[in-house]
Amino acid sequence: VQLVESGGGLVQAGGSLRLSCAVSGFNLENYAIDWFRQNPGKEREGISCLSEDDGIYVVDSVKDRFTTSSDAAKNTVALQMNSLEPGDTAVYYCAAVNLVALKAFGREWYLASPDYWGQGTQVTVSS
């Protein structure tokens, strides 16, 4: 089982980045793919959750700027980030959560413990 993020980098405020999470070793139909971000010394923040069963959730703080989508044929999940702000600077991780476990949390999907994690990709937004 493997999740590999790509697409991070340095961008100026107002710019866009598209992160990709390539998954292998399991079927996307059985898992939700979450995106989280974290800075050193700060709590991990859930950004989005995508599953075939429950659809898509994006946290209110970024829902006007970020979207997530999947490409089942390529077994990838993307996080499109527009109008980036310096406060978006963080390491971004994708993670896979078993759908059975996820259902217990409903709209608090970010509380479900992922089964698998990617290695993270750094996003830096300059002002």
Side-chain angles (χ1 to χ4, degrees):
V1 174
Q2 196 171 20
L3 291 86
V4 179
E5 300 98 336
S6 61
L10 173 65
V11 64
Q12 288 189 331
S16 297
L17 282 175
R18 185 176 180 87
L19 305 185
S20 182
C21 177
V23 305
S24 60
F26 64 92
N27 194 325
L28 270 178
E29 293 180 352
N30 298 324
Y31 288 84
I33 299 297
D34 295 351
W35 284 95
F36 294 88
R37 65 186 181 187
Q38 189 169 22
N39 279 309
K42 293 190 176 182
E43 287 190 5
R44 186 176 67 206
E45 178 185 12
I47 300 299
S48 66
C49 177
L50 183 152
S51 72
E52 292 195 8
D53 280 8
D54 292 332
I56 294 173
Y57 294 105
V58 181
V59 293
D60 288 345
S61 60
V62 300
K63 67 179 182 179
D64 293 333
R65 301 184 293 120
F66 292 10
T67 59
T68 186
S69 59
S70 66
D71 185 336
K74 296 181 179 179
N75 244 26
T76 60
V77 175
L79 181 67
Q80 178 68 41
M81 305 186 295
N82 300 324
S83 302
L84 283 161
E85 304 167 353
D88 296 318
T89 295
V91 178
Y92 284 71
Y93 300 88
C94 63
V97 182
N98 184 281
L99 289 178
V100 174
L102 184 66
K103 285 187 185 300
F105 292 92
R107 291 187 175 274
E108 295 183 318
W109 53 267
Y110 47 87
L111 296 177
S113 294
D115 297 88
Y116 309 108
W117 288 90
Q119 83 287 353
T121 185
Q122 176 71 48
V123 171
T124 303
V125 185
S126 63
S127 57

